[in-house]
Amino acid sequence: MSANTFGELFRVTTFGESHGPALGAIIDGCPPGLAIDEAFIQAELDRRKPGANRYTTPRREADEVKILSGVFEGKTTGTPIGLVIENTDQRSKDYSDIKDLFRPGHADYTYAHKYGFRDYRGGGRSSARETAMRVAAGAIAKQLLAQMGITVRAAMTQMGAIHAEQYDWTQVYENPFFFPDPARLDDLDALIRQLKKEGDSIGARIRVEAIGVPAGLGEPVFDRLDADLAKALMSINAVKAVSIGDGFAVVEQRGSEHRDEMTPTGFSSNHAGGVLGGISSGQTVVAEIALKPTSSIKKPGQTIDVHGQAQTISTHGRHDPCVGIRAVPIAEAMMALVLIDHILRQRAQNGAVSHQFPILK
Amino acid sequence: MSANTFGELFRVTTFGESHGPALGAIIDGCPPGLAIDEAFIQAELDRRKPGANRYTTPRREADEVKILSGVFEGKTTGTPIGLVIENTDQRSKDYSDIKDLFRPGHADYTYAHKYGFRDYRGGGRSSARETAMRVAAGAIAKQLLAQMGITVRAAMTQMGAIHAEQYDWTQVYENPFFFPDPARLDDLDALIRQLKKEGDSIGARIRVEAIGVPAGLGEPVFDRLDADLAKALMSINAVKAVSIGDGFAVVEQRGSEHRDEMTPTGFSSNHAGGVLGGISSGQTVVAEIALKPTSSIKKPGQTIDVHGQAQTISTHGRHDPCVGIRAVPIAEAMMALVLIDHILRQRAQNGAVSHQFPILK
Amino acid sequence: MSANTFGELFRVTTFGESHGPALGAIIDGCPPGLAIDEAFIQAELDRRKPGANRYTTPRREADEVKILSGVFEGKTTGTPIGLVIENTDQRSKDYSDIKDLFRPGHADYTYAHKYGFRDYRGGGRSSARETAMRVAAGAIAKQLLAQMGITVRAAMTQMGAIHAEQYDWTQVYENPFFFPDPARLDDLDALIRQLKKEGDSIGARIRVEAIGVPAGLGEPVFDRLDADLAKALMSINAVKAVSIGDGFAVVEQRGSEHRDEMTPTGFSSNHAGGVLGGISSGQTVVAEIALKPTSSIKKPGQTIDVHGQAQTISTHGRHDPCVGIRAVPIAEAMMALVLIDHILRQRAQNGAVSHQFPILK
Amino acid sequence: MSANTFGELFRVTTFGESHGPALGAIIDGCPPGLAIDEAFIQAELDRRKPGANRYTTPRREADEVKILSGVFEGKTTGTPIGLVIENTDQRSKDYSDIKDLFRPGHADYTYAHKYGFRDYRGGGRSSARETAMRVAAGAIAKQLLAQMGITVRAAMTQMGAIHAEQYDWTQVYENPFFFPDPARLDDLDALIRQLKKEGDSIGARIRVEAIGVPAGLGEPVFDRLDADLAKALMSINAVKAVSIGDGFAVVEQRGSEHRDEMTPTGFSSNHAGGVLGGISSGQTVVAEIALKPTSSIKKPGQTIDVHGQAQTISTHGRHDPCVGIRAVPIAEAMMALVLIDHILRQRAQNGAVSHQFPILK
């Protein structure tokens, strides 16, 4: 219980179900004096929302965020920022046909056991709809980070067997897949069409980076920067794995290969992904996540109903063939929230990172 | 700062540097009335400690744990349990030759920037020595879990390119690699000898499982069971990746393949790794972690000193060619701590998981 | 920063300024399955709100609370409960004449120094307006407590020099002063009229009790029940003192007088106020608080402006001659929040208080 | 449960029972680079310990504190500071005669119900012995505060009916009562002798102040400076009331009297006790606490045993006639811990209190 708050000093608390009247968040701990760009918050929400392009679900979500407190004359006041988004399209009836069925691969079975209660309205709190508030809060975190010269960016680097072979970040915002390799866009398009025809779905890999992070962020031994990133990213719906730097590839690496050597002009490589001993090194922070294919598909599957009887299920709701696409802005938001929280925590220590030692890039 | 506490209700706070007088921990939140088996705690510590076998560092660590409070007449009282292990072998002189050098791939560079301070005594707080207290605390968590029929186990399933092809858990405690495939022990032995000759090191993969976990553990939307496991496991020294269930393999899976179908007799598979929507499903919880090769190797490498000058470094201390081996009991301990914390959190809700819905295995 | 959350397991996070668009709260940790009586929540809010009677400020606050999440088909779901109250009457202009003046005895001077920022709109976040959400959250806590047979009640027992000489709790809701001694109502009425004529204000004492609290609530050594009550009650605007049981009178008591002797039929007295060693004893929990007279009065006073220049101030806004009157339901709400939080914390321990020892009343 | 940690950023976690092998604490969050004066820590402990003078219990407690981590070459490193004090005098036999009796006014009855367990060894965790670690941690906090020009001081200002009529702080350390009015020392002496003869005890009032506190400390709306002080001070054994500034006297004050007027040369009074709206004003922070008379007295009283049978009890252990005397250094320690925690929290906001507004003293 009471697990809907993220962060220690920059705290985001959220509420709201996919088919309730509204979603909301309280951001507690935002420093005063930050000029808030509401248009930017809305733009971030628009990137996440379904129906943004023909590859994601056509469901309409207005996702218009209202700021209810904490901002006066355009600037943050240091008091909690209240945010609300009304749910304008609730269509519970879409789900009435599976009212008594547990959906394989979904949270409804586990929620039923945890709470002794069943909200059949499209997942209720377990719906990805909840992540809208993470993106809104992340947009405010990004504005704080921008003031410090820190940029967070993410891209979908793999969908099914289709890998990005080049990383052209300028392309990521230019295509509906947030994909950095334009040469593979047709393949992605073809795969999505095929999946729709088959009534199936596919997984995805997302890479998220933070550029300009100063050395010294992270709180050993438990609240390490990489540990908090792992939690933040794993808490996103459908994520099944998180890696930092070379990730699982380190299993086959030698120490002489993995260690990033240091020279007066900088690190010679970044196998570590910008984190050493749980603390940022000043290099780019690099993480990857794996998103499972959604289980809400037309293809029939075996399941049980609330009475334990065998049933066949086929989901006819409006769903993404690849939920990974929409997770790109969510991953950016979570990394932004982790970074700003650790910046505030580091400030508490002495207001600034020490500069008595050489700084490498 | 103040990041040396793990857990919400079963809280473990640790202190101690590799070369200070002692390590310690306070376990706050252990329910009263638990019979404590001190021999078991010591046995767990012995599994972790270096010198336990010829494949790990010959450094001697007595690791004798003393219980200073919280236990009366052999049982926990509900008050905080104080634990201390004295450091009997401190040999700071081993490190004097690298007193002014930043070790590539180590935490000393980032610690220096974070704290504006340098403890050159073998890593100080960033040393894996710290994990001894995690194992001691985990041993108490395991005793609580055992009362509930929950077992945690881990094994090293890959070292370098050598994979376990079979999983015989009865073999894990029978060999110094905690390896479940006895057919590959000679290969592992040969690789370690080769690495020692080359003065190099290698990474490892560890699989950790929890059996008998009831459905309903995990606190959406941020303190999901998988998210807390990701943080707990990523907080272990040298870990660079964490996965749940099929992990990164889900990127190439179809929804029809990944979703674990449900039948009246149980789940037909466990691609999810026992967690759905961040809540345990009642199936075995399965996680994997990747550990990087240690950077403390004899093989010379480029680095800088505290003045920013180029230097060559070669570590002659006593180090493991594969730190992954020792991480096996640590991974078990962290999973045990996460599980007991979530069991107490679930108890706060209603003392028990609801049973009004069918329970699958 | 990030200090707008109260409670460990039953967590209430609030936002909103006196003159912003809305106030709100998120209740995270409310157990599922509680039938919510919205009319009761509204009734509690109506007790607190100004203009409820002619002795308090005539300012109109609709205080209509909306539930935005966490309740489905009339019952809590275990997910966070989102609450919002729109501010319908904001009249910032009332305050424009003191835009540049620091009000003696008010928070605007300290807020200005803390946040480097000035919200001159009637105190903004520091206004008692914020407590509306405490009362709404407390109303839900009271519904949970009622299920357990626990009742919280409060009364104003002193205003200026006028003491209650008898405690008739049935009278408290029958008069606008929440005063338990009907014989003194005329005196109270006269004092309020006199204060209005003089443009002055007066302090008050409130007594708050919890009946039916089981033995065993409270978490030594820091989160004792009395310590958490002290924090909760001192966090109410204008409160300057908190006492438990006999309070400051214990300074002159002997141990033989103060200790509540125990007999097989029960405690012989309740000097302790229902708390021993920071844990509830099963007796009625008794606390008292002192509320200062509001500093917003017509009577002119010396102050400075934002430029440090000497000024005379006279507040012509709509204010209570005695803010203590309105604090009665707020005190009840805070005690209810502390109790439900400690009940959930005790549940985490073993789901129930032990009954192997004799229970006294 | 898990309630043995105090503070948000400067976190103190303690363990230890009165008759176990040792007491200990972990201070997590102490900034690096602080020169630690161990002799000062010991001197603070000596002030608290019994047997320090003939007016308190003759029980011997060596109270020699050992620093086990977090300090290197005389300075803090930013890593957790481990402290331990061994219990050298445990004499459990003193308590054997009351092994089965609940002591009126003591925690053993409530502990028994909370934990379903009875530690008859002189109160175990509920003993004032636990406060030794608070004083040790407070001594480190005081050294940090001293660097910022902040001083914390306390005095016993009333014992029974004997009030201090003058406040000569230079006298407080010169007499065994920590009493600021030397003219009343003979009266205090006589009262103690009389109480010993009668086998009875008496309550006390303590005043604790912080001088040099900057404006801007405190985190509305829940973690106000006064609210956190109330919790910290109420968490001290035997405390039954906490007040800030004029405390309960405000009930009879007028607003025109209470509000501290402001002039270009400073505040004209300090009725508020240095806190406005939960935030420090820059004036001296003033709090008072009431300590009950100990219930461990020779004078016989009625009680019950663990079987619920009526019994008579007379405590023959070694106890203070006035526990308030020893609480003076404990009250200083708790105020110091609250202040340093709020200073670190304020730093997280912007590293410094804003100075764009006039600062009064």
Side-chain angles (χ1 to χ4, degrees):
Chain A
M1 297 164 75
S2 58
N4 293 281
T5 297
F6 185 82
E8 291 294 311
L9 293 182
F10 189 90
R11 297 173 72 80
V12 178
T13 305
T14 70
F15 70 80
E17 294 93 42
S18 57
H19 293 69
L23 303 171
I26 301 176
I27 300 172
D28 193 8
C30 186
L34 174 70
I36 292 292
D37 178 349
E38 292 195 42
F40 176 73
I41 301 173
Q42 196 59 59
E44 289 288 283
L45 282 165
D46 294 344
R47 288 175 62 209
R48 185 209 73 92
K49 86 180 174 209
N53 63 68
R54 73 179 186 288
Y55 301 99
T56 57
T57 154
R59 180 151 32 112
R60 301 299 312 133
E61 295 176 6
D63 279 2
E64 274 168 32
V65 66
K66 281 190 215 126
I67 297 179
L68 300 180
S69 67
V71 179
F72 181 53
E73 296 173 344
K75 291 189 171 175
T76 58
T77 64
T79 56
I81 301 170
L83 303 172
V84 168
I85 296 175
E86 286 179 21
N87 283 330
T88 52
D89 171 21
Q90 302 182 18
R91 299 211 212 154
S92 296
K93 58 187 171 316
D94 285 358
Y95 296 90
S96 53
D97 59 332
I98 57 168
K99 187 172 185 303
D100 292 337
L101 300 185
F102 289 117
R103 295 173 296 164
H106 265 280
D108 50 4
Y109 176 78
T110 53
Y111 268 63
H113 278 86
K114 180 174 191 63
Y115 300 109
F117 161 88
R118 180 165 163 80
D119 179 346
Y120 47 78
R121 302 167 302 166
R125 183 65 173 160
S126 68
S127 162
R129 178 88 180 112
E130 165 265 321
T131 58
M133 297 318 302
R134 303 189 186 201
V135 171
I140 290 174
K142 281 182 174 183
Q143 293 181 53
L144 276 164
L145 292 172
Q147 290 188 326
M148 305 166 194
I150 302 171
T151 310
V152 173
R153 66 187 187 186
M156 182 175 75
T157 58
Q158 184 182 357
M159 186 172 85
I162 305 168
H163 292 262
E165 270 137 32
Q166 57 158 300
Y167 282 70
D168 180 348
W169 288 93
T170 67
Q171 293 298 306
V172 170
Y173 282 54
E174 301 306 313
N175 68 76
F177 296 103
F178 303 111
F179 206 73
D181 182 353
R184 310 304 308 278
L185 294 179
D186 292 346
D187 299 343
L188 295 171
D189 189 6
L191 177 54
I192 290 286
R193 293 175 186 283
Q194 179 190 354
L195 290 166
K196 286 190 168 177
K197 197 180 309 151
E198 296 174 4
D200 213 336
S201 61
I202 195 76
R205 178 191 300 260
I206 289 173
R207 180 185 179 94
V208 54
E209 300 184 348
I211 300 159
V213 176
L217 301 184
E219 303 294 336
V221 293
F222 293 114
D223 297 353
R224 297 172 187 229
L225 183 59
D226 44 7
D228 279 354
L229 280 172
K231 175 172 180 168
L233 295 170
M234 191 70 88
S235 78
I236 298 171
N237 303 45
V239 172
K240 300 301 290 183
V242 179
S243 67
I244 304 294
D246 289 354
F248 278 102
V250 302
V251 173
E252 302 196 13
Q253 292 175 349
R254 296 290 177 97
S256 54
E257 170 191 4
H258 179 82
R259 63 177 170 183
D260 301 307
E261 294 188 320
M262 305 164 83
T263 75
T265 58
F267 290 96
S268 58
S269 54
N270 187 14
H271 296 287
V275 184
L276 289 170
I279 301 171
S280 61
S281 66
Q283 291 190 283
T284 296
V285 176
V286 180
E288 287 195 338
I289 56 178
L291 289 101
K292 71 176 186 179
T294 181
S295 306
S296 297
I297 54 179
K298 284 204 178 56
K299 207 171 228 180
Q302 296 311 302
T303 190
I304 59 170
D305 60 24
V306 294
H307 312 295
Q309 300 305 308
Q311 302 286 355
T312 298
I313 189 167
S314 169
T315 310
H316 294 284
R318 304 149 302 181
H319 299 286
D320 299 353
C322 180
V323 291
I325 298 172
R326 289 175 57 187
V328 168
I330 303 165
E332 289 179 1
M334 293 312 294
M335 183 176 266
L337 291 175
V338 169
L339 289 171
I340 199 66
D341 191 48
H342 277 279
I343 286 167
L344 296 184
R345 293 177 78 172
Q346 178 65 8
R347 275 189 186 174
Q349 180 179 1
N350 51 18
V353 176
S354 162
H355 292 305
Q356 69 178 278
F357 295 103
I359 294 173
L360 304 180
K361 279 288 154 239
Chain B
M1 298 165 73
S2 57
N4 294 281
T5 297
F6 185 82
E8 291 293 311
L9 293 183
F10 189 91
R11 297 173 72 79
V12 178
T13 306
T14 69
F15 70 80
E17 295 94 40
S18 57
H19 292 69
L23 304 171
I26 300 176
I27 300 172
D28 193 8
C30 186
L34 173 70
I36 292 292
D37 178 348
E38 293 195 42
F40 176 73
I41 302 172
Q42 196 60 58
E44 291 287 284
L45 283 165
D46 294 344
R47 288 174 62 208
R48 185 209 71 94
K49 87 181 174 207
N53 62 68
R54 71 180 187 285
Y55 302 98
T56 56
T57 156
R59 181 153 31 113
R60 302 297 312 133
E61 294 176 7
D63 280 3
E64 273 168 33
V65 67
K66 280 190 215 125
I67 298 178
L68 300 180
S69 69
V71 178
F72 181 53
E73 296 173 344
K75 291 189 171 175
T76 58
T77 63
T79 57
I81 301 170
L83 302 172
V84 167
I85 295 175
E86 287 179 20
N87 283 330
T88 53
D89 171 23
Q90 303 182 19
R91 301 209 214 156
S92 296
K93 58 188 170 320
D94 286 357
Y95 296 90
S96 55
D97 59 330
I98 56 168
K99 187 172 186 306
D100 292 338
L101 300 186
F102 289 117
R103 295 174 296 164
H106 266 279
D108 51 3
Y109 176 77
T110 52
Y111 268 63
H113 278 85
K114 180 173 193 63
Y115 300 110
F117 161 88
R118 180 165 164 78
D119 179 346
Y120 48 79
R121 301 166 303 166
R125 183 65 174 163
S126 68
S127 162
R129 179 89 180 110
E130 165 264 323
T131 58
M133 296 318 302
R134 302 190 187 201
V135 171
I140 290 174
K142 282 182 174 183
Q143 293 181 53
L144 277 164
L145 291 173
Q147 290 189 326
M148 306 166 193
I150 302 170
T151 310
V152 173
R153 65 188 187 186
M156 182 174 76
T157 59
Q158 184 182 357
M159 186 172 83
I162 305 169
H163 292 262
E165 271 139 33
Q166 58 156 302
Y167 282 69
D168 180 348
W169 288 92
T170 66
Q171 292 297 309
V172 170
Y173 282 54
E174 301 306 312
N175 68 77
F177 296 104
F178 302 111
F179 206 73
D181 183 353
R184 309 305 307 277
L185 294 179
D186 292 346
D187 299 343
L188 295 171
D189 189 7
L191 176 54
I192 289 287
R193 292 176 188 282
Q194 179 189 354
L195 290 166
K196 286 190 167 175
K197 198 179 308 152
E198 297 174 4
D200 213 336
S201 61
I202 194 77
R205 177 192 301 260
I206 289 173
R207 180 185 179 93
V208 53
E209 300 184 348
I211 300 160
V213 176
L217 301 185
E219 303 295 335
V221 293
F222 294 115
D223 298 352
R224 297 172 188 229
L225 183 60
D226 44 6
D228 279 354
L229 280 171
K231 175 172 179 168
L233 295 169
M234 190 70 88
S235 77
I236 298 171
N237 304 45
V239 171
K240 300 301 290 183
V242 179
S243 67
I244 304 295
D246 288 356
F248 278 102
V250 302
V251 174
E252 303 197 14
Q253 291 175 348
R254 296 290 177 95
S256 53
E257 170 191 5
H258 178 82
R259 63 177 169 183
D260 301 307
E261 294 189 318
M262 304 164 83
T263 75
T265 58
F267 289 96
S268 57
S269 54
N270 188 12
H271 295 286
V275 184
L276 290 170
I279 301 171
S280 60
S281 65
Q283 291 190 283
T284 295
V285 175
V286 181
E288 286 195 338
I289 56 177
L291 289 102
K292 72 177 187 180
T294 181
S295 306
S296 296
I297 53 178
K298 284 207 178 55
K299 208 171 231 181
Q302 296 310 304
T303 191
I304 59 170
D305 59 24
V306 294
H307 312 296
Q309 300 304 309
Q311 302 286 353
T312 297
I313 189 166
S314 170
T315 310
H316 294 283
R318 303 151 300 180
H319 299 287
D320 299 354
C322 180
V323 290
I325 298 172
R326 290 174 57 187
V328 167
I330 303 164
E332 289 180 2
M334 294 311 295
M335 182 175 266
L337 291 175
V338 169
L339 288 171
I340 199 66
D341 192 46
H342 276 279
I343 286 167
L344 296 185
R345 292 177 77 172
Q346 178 65 9
R347 275 189 187 174
Q349 180 178 359
N350 50 20
V353 177
S354 163
H355 293 304
Q356 68 178 277
F357 296 104
I359 293 173
L360 304 179
K361 277 289 155 237
Chain C
M1 298 164 74
S2 57
N4 294 280
T5 297
F6 185 82
E8 291 294 310
L9 293 182
F10 189 91
R11 297 173 72 81
V12 178
T13 306
T14 69
F15 71 80
E17 294 94 42
S18 57
H19 293 67
L23 304 170
I26 300 176
I27 300 173
D28 193 8
C30 186
L34 173 70
I36 293 291
D37 178 348
E38 292 195 42
F40 176 74
I41 301 173
Q42 196 58 59
E44 290 287 284
L45 283 165
D46 294 343
R47 288 174 61 208
R48 185 209 73 92
K49 87 182 173 203
N53 63 67
R54 72 180 188 285
Y55 302 98
T56 57
T57 155
R59 180 151 33 111
R60 300 298 313 133
E61 295 175 7
D63 280 2
E64 274 168 34
V65 66
K66 279 189 217 131
I67 298 179
L68 300 181
S69 68
V71 178
F72 181 53
E73 297 174 343
K75 290 189 171 177
T76 58
T77 63
T79 57
I81 301 170
L83 302 172
V84 168
I85 295 175
E86 287 179 18
N87 283 330
T88 52
D89 171 21
Q90 303 181 18
R91 302 210 212 155
S92 296
K93 58 187 171 319
D94 286 358
Y95 297 90
S96 54
D97 59 332
I98 56 168
K99 188 172 184 306
D100 292 337
L101 301 185
F102 289 116
R103 295 173 297 163
H106 266 280
D108 50 4
Y109 176 78
T110 52
Y111 268 62
H113 279 85
K114 180 173 192 64
Y115 299 110
F117 160 88
R118 179 164 163 81
D119 179 345
Y120 47 79
R121 301 166 303 165
R125 183 65 174 160
S126 67
S127 161
R129 178 86 180 113
E130 165 264 323
T131 58
M133 296 318 302
R134 303 189 187 202
V135 171
I140 290 175
K142 281 182 174 182
Q143 292 181 53
L144 276 165
L145 292 172
Q147 290 189 326
M148 306 167 194
I150 302 171
T151 310
V152 173
R153 66 187 187 187
M156 182 176 75
T157 58
Q158 184 182 357
M159 186 173 85
I162 305 168
H163 293 261
E165 269 139 35
Q166 57 157 301
Y167 282 70
D168 180 348
W169 287 93
T170 66
Q171 293 298 308
V172 171
Y173 281 55
E174 300 307 312
N175 69 76
F177 297 103
F178 303 111
F179 206 74
D181 182 353
R184 312 303 308 277
L185 294 178
D186 292 345
D187 299 344
L188 295 170
D189 189 6
L191 177 54
I192 290 287
R193 293 175 186 284
Q194 178 189 356
L195 290 165
K196 287 190 167 178
K197 197 180 309 154
E198 297 174 4
D200 212 335
S201 60
I202 194 76
R205 177 191 302 260
I206 288 173
R207 180 186 180 93
V208 53
E209 300 184 347
I211 300 158
V213 176
L217 301 184
E219 303 295 334
V221 292
F222 293 113
D223 297 353
R224 297 173 188 229
L225 183 60
D226 44 7
D228 279 354
L229 280 172
K231 175 172 180 167
L233 295 170
M234 191 71 88
S235 77
I236 298 171
N237 303 46
V239 172
K240 300 303 289 183
V242 179
S243 66
I244 304 295
D246 288 355
F248 277 102
V250 302
V251 173
E252 303 197 13
Q253 291 174 349
R254 296 289 176 98
S256 53
E257 169 191 4
H258 178 81
R259 63 177 170 182
D260 300 307
E261 294 188 317
M262 304 164 83
T263 75
T265 58
F267 289 95
S268 57
S269 54
N270 188 14
H271 296 286
V275 184
L276 290 170
I279 301 171
S280 61
S281 66
Q283 291 189 282
T284 295
V285 176
V286 181
E288 287 195 338
I289 56 178
L291 289 102
K292 71 176 187 180
T294 181
S295 305
S296 297
I297 55 178
K298 286 207 177 55
K299 206 170 228 178
Q302 296 310 304
T303 189
I304 59 170
D305 60 23
V306 294
H307 312 295
Q309 299 306 307
Q311 302 285 354
T312 298
I313 189 167
S314 169
T315 309
H316 295 284
R318 303 150 301 181
H319 299 287
D320 299 353
C322 179
V323 292
I325 298 171
R326 290 175 57 189
V328 168
I330 302 164
E332 289 180 1
M334 293 311 295
M335 182 175 267
L337 291 176
V338 169
L339 288 171
I340 199 66
D341 191 47
H342 276 278
I343 286 167
L344 296 184
R345 293 177 77 172
Q346 178 66 6
R347 275 188 188 175
Q349 180 179 0
N350 50 19
V353 176
S354 163
H355 292 306
Q356 68 177 279
F357 295 103
I359 294 173
L360 304 180
K361 278 290 155 233
Chain D
M1 297 165 76
S2 58
N4 294 280
T5 296
F6 185 82
E8 290 295 312
L9 293 182
F10 189 91
R11 296 173 73 80
V12 178
T13 305
T14 69
F15 70 80
E17 295 93 41
S18 57
H19 292 68
L23 304 171
I26 300 176
I27 301 172
D28 193 8
C30 185
L34 173 70
I36 292 294
D37 178 349
E38 292 195 44
F40 176 74
I41 301 172
Q42 196 59 59
E44 289 287 285
L45 282 165
D46 293 345
R47 288 174 62 208
R48 185 210 72 93
K49 87 180 174 209
N53 62 70
R54 72 180 187 285
Y55 302 99
T56 57
T57 154
R59 182 152 28 113
R60 302 299 312 136
E61 294 175 7
D63 280 1
E64 274 167 33
V65 66
K66 279 189 217 128
I67 298 179
L68 300 180
S69 68
V71 177
F72 181 53
E73 296 173 344
K75 291 189 171 177
T76 57
T77 63
T79 57
I81 300 170
L83 302 172
V84 168
I85 295 175
E86 287 180 19
N87 283 330
T88 52
D89 172 22
Q90 304 183 17
R91 300 212 212 155
S92 297
K93 58 188 170 321
D94 286 356
Y95 296 91
S96 55
D97 59 331
I98 56 168
K99 187 171 184 306
D100 292 337
L101 301 186
F102 289 117
R103 295 173 297 164
H106 266 280
D108 51 3
Y109 175 77
T110 52
Y111 267 63
H113 278 85
K114 180 172 192 65
Y115 300 110
F117 162 87
R118 180 165 164 80
D119 179 345
Y120 47 79
R121 301 166 303 165
R125 182 64 174 161
S126 68
S127 162
R129 179 89 181 110
E130 166 265 323
T131 57
M133 296 319 301
R134 303 189 186 201
V135 171
I140 290 175
K142 282 182 172 181
Q143 293 181 53
L144 277 164
L145 292 172
Q147 290 188 326
M148 307 166 192
I150 302 171
T151 309
V152 173
R153 66 187 187 187
M156 181 175 77
T157 58
Q158 184 181 358
M159 186 172 83
I162 305 168
H163 292 261
E165 271 138 34
Q166 58 158 302
Y167 281 69
D168 180 347
W169 288 93
T170 66
Q171 293 298 308
V172 170
Y173 282 55
E174 301 307 312
N175 67 77
F177 296 103
F178 303 110
F179 205 73
D181 183 353
R184 311 303 307 277
L185 294 179
D186 291 346
D187 300 342
L188 294 171
D189 189 6
L191 176 55
I192 290 286
R193 292 176 187 283
Q194 178 190 356
L195 290 166
K196 286 190 168 178
K197 197 181 309 155
E198 298 174 3
D200 213 336
S201 60
I202 195 78
R205 177 190 301 260
I206 288 173
R207 180 185 180 94
V208 52
E209 300 184 347
I211 300 160
V213 176
L217 302 185
E219 304 295 334
V221 292
F222 294 115
D223 298 352
R224 297 171 187 230
L225 183 59
D226 44 6
D228 279 354
L229 280 172
K231 175 172 180 168
L233 295 170
M234 190 70 87
S235 77
I236 298 171
N237 302 45
V239 172
K240 300 302 290 183
V242 179
S243 66
I244 303 295
D246 288 354
F248 277 102
V250 301
V251 174
E252 303 197 14
Q253 291 175 348
R254 296 290 178 95
S256 54
E257 169 190 4
H258 179 83
R259 63 176 170 183
D260 301 306
E261 294 189 319
M262 304 163 83
T263 76
T265 57
F267 289 95
S268 57
S269 55
N270 188 14
H271 296 286
V275 184
L276 290 170
I279 301 171
S280 61
S281 66
Q283 291 190 282
T284 296
V285 176
V286 180
E288 286 194 338
I289 55 177
L291 288 101
K292 72 177 186 179
T294 182
S295 306
S296 296
I297 53 178
K298 285 206 178 55
K299 206 171 231 179
Q302 294 312 303
T303 189
I304 59 169
D305 60 23
V306 293
H307 313 296
Q309 300 306 308
Q311 302 286 354
T312 298
I313 190 167
S314 169
T315 311
H316 294 283
R318 301 150 303 180
H319 300 286
D320 299 354
C322 180
V323 291
I325 298 172
R326 289 175 56 188
V328 168
I330 302 165
E332 289 179 2
M334 293 311 295
M335 183 175 266
L337 291 175
V338 169
L339 288 171
I340 199 66
D341 192 46
H342 276 278
I343 285 167
L344 296 185
R345 293 177 78 173
Q346 179 66 7
R347 276 188 187 176
Q349 181 179 359
N350 50 19
V353 177
S354 162
H355 292 305
Q356 68 177 278
F357 295 103
I359 293 174
L360 304 179
K361 276 289 155 235

